[in-house]
Amino acid sequence: MTSTADRTADASTTSSPTFGWGHPALRAEFAAAADGTPRLVRLGPTGTAVDPEVALPLVELTAVGHGSGWSGPRFTGTALGSRLAYRGHRDAGSSDWARLTVELHDPVTALTAFVELTSPIGLPVLRSRVRLRNDGTDPLVVQSVSSLLLGGLPSPDVLDVHRARNDWLAECRWYAEPLRDSVADIGVDAHQHDSRAALTLTGRGSWPTDGHLPMGALTERDGGRAWVWQVESPVGWRWDLGERAHGTYLALNGPTDAEHQWRVRLAPGEEITTVWAAVATGADTGQGAGGGSPEADAGLGSGADSTAAPAADRAGPSVPSPGVGSALDAAWAAMTAYRRAVRRPHPDHGALPVVFNDYMNTLMGDPTTEKLLPLIDAAARAGAEYFCVDSGWYDDTVDGGWWDGVGAWQPSTRRFPDGGIEAVLDRIRERGMVPGLWLEPEVVGVHSPVASTLPPDAFFQRDGVRITEQGRHQLDLRHPAARAHLDRTVDRIAGDWSVGYLKLDYNIVVDPGTCAPGDLSPGAGLLGHAHAYLEWLSDVLDRHPGLVVENCASGGMRMDGATLAVAQLQSLSDQQDPLRFPAIAAAAPTAVPPEQGAVWAYPQPGFDDDLIGFTLGGALLGRIHLSGHLNRMSERQLGLVRDAVDTYKSIRGDLARAVPFWPLGLPGWADPWLALGLRVPEGPSYVSVWRRGGEADVSLPLGHLAGRDVRPEILHPSAGSGGSVVWNRDGHTLRVSLPRTPTALLIRLHAGTG
């Protein structure tokens, strides 16, 4: 076996369970508290366990009639959580994953909880969800259930907390503050009671990443450890941090009754399962940036590893072991590898074809045959491999007022008069590219004929009234008629028309959700639809295995782990300003693996060479999404675009395996200098550097290359930037000089032996 779960308590007893589980990169230990509930007391490759009274129960939940043990915003101390007694556990590990299920039972309600813990072999990442089953004779109305709980983290005195604001046109804006700024030191010893305060973050509605990313991070100010987490919910979510027994706890939840109007009635014999949540750990192995060893001690506890369960020595997902680097970068590296491990396999993740999309700063939702044909020709000459016709291809109105009339998804005859849209798709194929189309599948305009042909229960509703948002209704994919409508649409586009790429957009937000027949609450209805949507999308990909799907919601408003595990690409933003997009592109790998993050590169004929190089260079460590009026460019300008695309094609094989690091720290929205690095296992490192202002020189600390001879190579732009790079072996820094703004460089670093 590659994972172990050695127990000292028999599976049928509830007395004092103590057992270990895990693999070399992630060892966990469980022990019972005084109330008999099992606790996770150690998490990490090494270290000693914390006191079970400091740790948290494996599950916290509330139900009507069974609330919290105290008042306050924190999700700890619930009545049911303190009653869930140990029944047993089962290890079902494989060669790739360690898997553990811990069974708990409440003698009062006869509710049984199954805590499902998994971890990819070789990665310091714990994934968790909870399944509840009502084994009693009476219904139970559940109001909240934890997905993952961690206690025994260091004191709030020594921790900084990191969050990411995520707004339309301004995604992935990370900021940090001492945890004590939110969780005050109240003098716990004087009160004989922990603080009721908590730092709580939530996402709401059908845009789960509108406002903040469903993520967070903690860094230890002096101890060199870091924890990064994500809640993998396609709708509402919540996490909170607070003080417990002079340490810190973390609670991760999907939707709840208090924040999202989510509650479910469990009849006898019925089950529900929470969304997944995951936490990755990292440790600083020295000074400097660049990512620490993913297997360093970064979990709960400290000291020698004396009680861990044995595990087989097996390499897991590919993560570099870069000697010296920051704990936070190490945790991001582990999280990136984890995201690759949990997503649906697809050839696109390795091929990374170049996509041209006609929308951004170009046709802007007004495609016609006349406008598209020269653009298709120019995109092919630039090296694009996919060509996506964005919104508007279905619009037959004279004034472009299609917003509230969508839903049938039939091509316009007015826009494509000669040969229809098929002639445009054929032209794309003739130029050696794969055709793509934009689609907003979940919405139906109030003036669409589909709004009256589908049954009422196929749409979102509240109190028997169909919901309308911005002139649109929302389909409920739990209803067979709604799903059949979308199946016919996609099978026509991907099947009959042989379209190989779909950009699936979603431009309304519904909060708190829908109450269809059988729904107890709108939040539960919304989560049910979201799960049904992802099941539908998975079935589409099963029927059309070569189809590539880009996920979009006005850019990055639905950039959640559940959706990214199914879709191949993620639109990062609708940001149209080439000077502002780099801050999004540089931070995007915190939320999306590099090969899934669609970065707009929209050079225009009116740009000078520096600005053309700047907007192209910012996309080369992600998924380059070309746009712009390439057909109006001079041959020299188009050559600059082609050079950048050729550079991308020469390195994209590395990008699919690389993990990110940030030599200057996570980027600030207005920072004059930005830097994003990628490290390739047993290969080179790449660094993209943007200068938007400030001094003409900057030094990038690259701790993972400390003491090594490094040969830096400027890959982009191929000429004309005036930039230079110099490696300082002793200081393990890369000196970058860019005399003009705006300018961007892509640098490859070839490292010799130290």
Side-chain angles (χ1 to χ4, degrees):
M1 294 293 293
T2 59
S3 63
T4 62
D6 298 335
R7 59 188 165 195
T8 60
D10 185 83
S12 62
T13 184
T14 59
S15 62
S16 303
T18 300
F19 56 95
W21 167 79
H23 52 83
L26 187 88
R27 301 185 191 275
E29 185 177 341
F30 303 84
D35 61 9
T37 60
R39 313 287 176 100
L40 175 60
V41 295
R42 190 171 74 82
L43 181 69
T46 61
T48 55
V50 300
D51 187 327
E53 304 305 321
V54 173
L56 291 177
L58 296 183
V59 180
E60 296 275 19
L61 73 153
T62 58
V64 175
H66 306 270
S68 176
W70 61 353
S71 298
R74 7 182 334 147
F75 192 69
T76 60
T78 62
L80 276 164
S82 65
R83 297 202 308 255
L84 286 170
Y86 173 81
R87 267 190 167 179
H89 63 269
R90 181 171 59 90
D91 175 21
S94 67
S95 61
D96 299 317
W97 285 81
R99 302 181 189 275
L100 178 71
T101 299
V102 182
E103 183 177 343
L104 311 171
H105 187 73
D106 172 33
V108 176
T109 62
L111 181 71
T112 301
F114 301 90
V115 184
E116 300 176 4
L117 304 174
T118 68
S119 179
I121 302 297
L123 293 181
V125 181
L126 178 67
R127 192 187 202 202
S128 175
R129 69 179 181 183
V130 174
R131 178 165 52 94
L132 299 180
R133 186 179 69 210
N134 185 355
D135 290 331
T137 58
D138 298 319
L140 185 70
V141 177
V142 180
Q143 297 174 288
S144 61
V145 193
S146 61
S147 290
L148 192 154
L149 297 171
L150 283 183
L153 295 169
S155 165
D157 292 330
V158 301
L159 294 177
D160 292 323
V161 59
H162 305 254
R163 291 165 281 177
R165 294 187 178 96
N166 200 70
D167 300 310
W168 183 53
L169 309 180
E171 289 85 350
C172 299
R173 289 157 35 238
W174 286 86
Y175 61 106
E177 65 180 8
L179 183 56
R180 275 295 184 212
D181 284 0
S182 297
V183 181
D185 183 354
I186 63 168
V188 169
D189 293 336
H191 297 88
Q192 309 300 308
H193 201 291
D194 282 325
S195 170
R196 294 182 177 182
L199 171 58
T200 301
L201 203 64
T202 62
R204 296 171 58 89
S206 56
W207 274 3
T209 57
D210 180 19
H212 278 86
L213 292 178
M215 301 178 60
L218 284 173
T219 50
E220 195 174 27
R221 216 163 292 131
D222 300 317
R225 295 183 291 176
W227 300 262
V228 170
W229 60 85
Q230 66 177 26
V231 182
E232 298 170 16
S233 174
V235 289
W237 52 271
R238 165 198 167 111
W239 60 255
D240 63 281
L241 290 163
E243 186 171 11
R244 177 180 170 86
H246 299 289
T248 299
Y249 78 85
L250 169 67
L252 306 181
N253 290 68
T256 68
D257 190 15
E259 284 88 3
H260 312 98
Q261 297 187 41
W262 177 94
R263 63 186 184 279
V264 175
R265 178 181 287 107
L266 270 186
E270 288 187 337
E271 293 186 354
I272 59 169
T273 303
T274 70
V275 300
W276 287 106
V279 61
T281 66
D284 191 347
T285 56
Q287 295 181 353
S293 169
E295 297 185 6
D297 180 14
L300 309 181
S302 60
D305 180 14
S306 59
T307 57
D313 294 327
R314 180 181 176 86
S318 183
V319 179
S321 298
V324 179
S326 80
L328 190 56
D329 282 343
W332 287 126
M335 183 62 79
T336 300
Y338 159 79
R339 289 167 174 160
R340 288 169 175 154
V342 298
R343 71 190 176 193
R344 176 190 177 97
H346 196 285
D348 181 81
H349 295 319
L352 279 63
V354 176
V355 178
F356 185 97
N357 181 295
D358 69 20
Y359 184 86
M360 191 58 70
N361 293 345
T362 311
L363 300 188
M364 300 297 290
D366 189 26
T368 65
T369 300
E370 182 181 8
K371 294 177 181 179
L372 283 168
L373 295 186
L375 203 53
I376 291 167
D377 294 348
R381 291 178 60 203
E385 295 157 303
Y386 281 63
F387 189 103
C388 182
V389 179
D390 209 279
S391 59
W393 57 268
Y394 38 79
D395 174 34
D396 257 333
T397 65
V398 176
D399 61 357
W402 52 262
W403 179 264
D404 58 5
V406 297
W409 308 114
Q410 295 289 347
S412 167
T413 55
R414 182 183 64 83
R415 292 179 175 275
F416 310 108
D418 300 318
I421 198 171
E422 290 88 347
V424 172
L425 301 178
D426 286 342
R427 181 66 159 263
I428 295 171
R429 283 185 282 265
E430 289 168 3
R431 294 298 182 263
M433 297 180 291
V434 176
L437 287 177
W438 178 97
L439 195 66
E440 197 170 358
E442 292 164 87
V443 302
V444 172
V446 296
H447 297 305
S448 171
V450 178
S452 58
T453 57
L454 291 178
D457 288 347
F459 297 92
F460 276 26
Q461 56 188 288
R462 293 288 303 277
D463 299 322
V465 178
R466 188 181 300 186
I467 291 175
T468 302
E469 286 290 336
Q470 301 181 58
R472 280 133 166 245
H473 303 307
Q474 163 93 41
L475 289 174
D476 188 335
L477 267 292
R478 295 175 296 174
H479 195 283
R483 181 164 178 155
H485 164 67
L486 291 189
D487 281 340
R488 289 191 298 269
T489 298
V490 171
D491 290 347
R492 180 176 67 252
I493 294 172
D496 299 346
W497 301 352
S498 299
V499 167
Y501 187 99
L502 284 180
K503 179 179 178 180
L504 301 186
D505 211 340
Y506 180 62
N507 293 302
I508 66 171
V509 58
V510 180
D511 182 20
T514 180
C515 273
D519 289 334
L520 181 63
S521 65
L526 181 61
L527 181 60
H529 158 76
H531 284 155
Y533 170 75
L534 293 178
E535 291 170 2
W536 167 78
L537 184 54
S538 295
D539 285 347
V540 165
L541 291 167
D542 287 342
R543 294 200 308 274
H544 305 282
L547 183 67
V548 176
V549 171
E550 175 187 348
N551 178 56
C552 183
S554 292
M557 298 296 96
R558 192 157 66 173
M559 194 157 47
D560 61 275
T563 305
L564 286 169
V566 180
Q568 285 70 62
L569 290 97
Q570 171 64 50
S571 177
L572 296 179
S573 183
D574 285 348
Q575 176 57 249
Q576 294 177 247
D577 186 344
L579 298 181
R580 286 180 169 83
F581 208 107
I584 300 170
T590 60
V592 185
E595 68 275 15
Q596 286 184 269
V599 184
W600 285 110
Y602 30 58
Q604 301 290 355
F607 289 2
D608 63 22
D609 288 0
D610 282 348
L611 190 52
I612 289 175
F614 187 84
T615 187
L616 290 166
L620 297 181
L621 290 188
R623 281 300 293 276
I624 185 169
H625 265 48
L626 284 174
S627 198
H629 293 284
L630 305 188
N631 55 307
R632 302 178 188 173
M633 283 185 161
S634 68
E635 283 298 318
R636 184 184 57 79
Q637 289 177 317
L638 191 61
L640 296 177
V641 178
R642 190 163 47 244
D643 285 349
V645 171
D646 288 344
T647 296
Y648 177 79
K649 291 178 179 178
S650 73
I651 68 170
R652 61 184 170 186
D654 283 344
L655 305 188
R657 302 181 296 126
V659 294
F661 65 95
W662 289 268
L664 297 176
L666 294 176
W669 184 248
D671 286 355
W673 284 87
L674 303 167
L676 166 66
L678 294 182
R679 296 181 288 109
V680 182
E682 307 302 324
S685 295
Y686 296 89
V687 180
S688 280
V689 185
W690 298 261
R691 183 187 171 208
R692 302 188 291 183
E695 300 295 325
D697 301 277
V698 69
S699 288
L700 308 180
L702 300 174
H704 70 288
L705 298 175
R708 303 177 69 180
D709 294 321
V710 175
R711 178 172 61 86
E713 175 188 9
I714 297 176
L715 300 180
H716 172 84
S718 56
S721 71
S724 63
V725 293
V726 177
W727 172 248
N728 182 333
R729 185 180 190 275
D730 295 332
H732 52 81
T733 59
L734 185 70
R735 186 74 173 175
V736 179
S737 299
L738 290 173
R740 302 188 301 274
T741 60
T743 319
L745 295 182
L746 173 63
I747 306 157
R748 179 162 54 197
L749 302 170
H750 304 270
T753 57

